[in-house]
Amino acid sequence: AMALEGRRRAELGQVAVRVVVAERQRVPETGVGGEIGAAAQADVTVKDSWVRGTTPAQKATGAFMEITSSEAVTLLSASSPVAGVVEIHTMKMEDGVMKMRALPKLDLPAGKAVKLAPGGYHVMLMDLKQQMKKGDVVPITLKIEGADKKVQTLEIKAEVRDLATPATQDKSHGHGMKH
């Protein structure tokens, strides 16, 4: 039985190595076509990324950030290990009612900061696998398509902020919200 256990462990070790090799091979692809690819690659920066904290019962929350791209690109999708479903949403007033709808994609104009903020565009994290607690860091992957149809992925780490204190609100408000 000991020999079998040892062999199983060796096999598991091999599987892990194989995964690492596959990851390695995938990396160079983002710069496809050598110099040409590099020239066309948009420089996309994300700042002020954060996720709104949740209560244990909540299964959805919003992620917010500011995205600036050097070229005109399109945000195709977002994903995160903490959520089963991630969508790009917009909030719009329609007939006096605030409606939220999913966007198939979000255009990012060249050189102009696009704000994903409460009440506007945002990334919706749904089917949450855990509670979003203040101070936690949530990894989010953004898929961005350039004018040349090349897709680049951008990994960001968004910090969870307190439920009761959105950045836009006066700090003195939300204090009665703690249960």
Side-chain angles (χ1 to χ4, degrees):
M2 285 299 280
L4 193 82
E5 195 52 45
R7 190 160 58 211
R8 193 172 290 148
R9 222 171 258 143
E11 273 169 24
L12 280 175
Q14 276 169 345
V15 170
V17 168
R18 212 171 284 146
V19 171
V20 170
V21 171
E23 285 292 327
R24 261 205 209 115
Q25 285 165 346
R26 217 182 305 153
V27 174
E29 271 180 29
T30 47
V32 191
E35 310 307 278
I36 308 159
Q41 191 87 326
D43 186 15
V44 182
T45 51
V46 175
K47 60 177 204 187
D48 296 337
S49 57
W50 62 283
V51 172
R52 183 173 280 152
T54 61
T55 62
Q58 267 180 299
K59 285 286 167 249
T61 189
F64 310 98
M65 65 202 74
E66 188 176 296
I67 311 176
T68 311
S69 172
S70 60
E71 315 284 326
V73 294
T74 305
L75 175 58
L76 293 181
S77 64
S79 58
S80 175
V82 304
V85 180
V86 182
E87 292 181 351
I88 304 159
H89 279 200
T90 178
M91 303 275 272
K92 272 220 172 85
M93 280 301 260
E94 282 176 28
D95 307 325
V97 181
M98 203 39 143
K99 293 236 175 97
M100 184 163 80
R101 21 178 223 110
L103 292 172
K105 54 191 203 296
L106 177 60
D107 291 326
L108 305 171
K112 194 166 164 263
V114 175
K115 261 190 157 50
L116 275 60
Y121 297 123
H122 56 279
V123 173
M124 199 72 200
L125 305 170
M126 293 172 287
D127 189 11
L128 292 175
K129 297 180 170 53
Q130 66 210 54
Q131 183 183 356
M132 302 286 114
K133 297 195 184 80
K134 185 180 177 199
D136 284 359
V137 173
V138 178
I140 299 173
T141 304
L142 303 177
K143 274 205 159 53
I144 292 167
E145 184 182 74
D148 54 3
K149 296 284 179 246
K150 287 207 180 86
V151 175
Q152 58 175 330
T153 49
L154 198 63
E155 297 274 347
I156 59 169
K157 300 222 178 315
E159 191 188 353
V160 177
R161 291 191 190 161
D162 204 340
L163 234 188
T165 49
T168 49
Q169 219 177 40
D170 181 35
K171 289 281 187 286
S172 61
H173 285 322
H175 285 311
M177 301 284 293
K178 301 266 190 299
H179 298 303

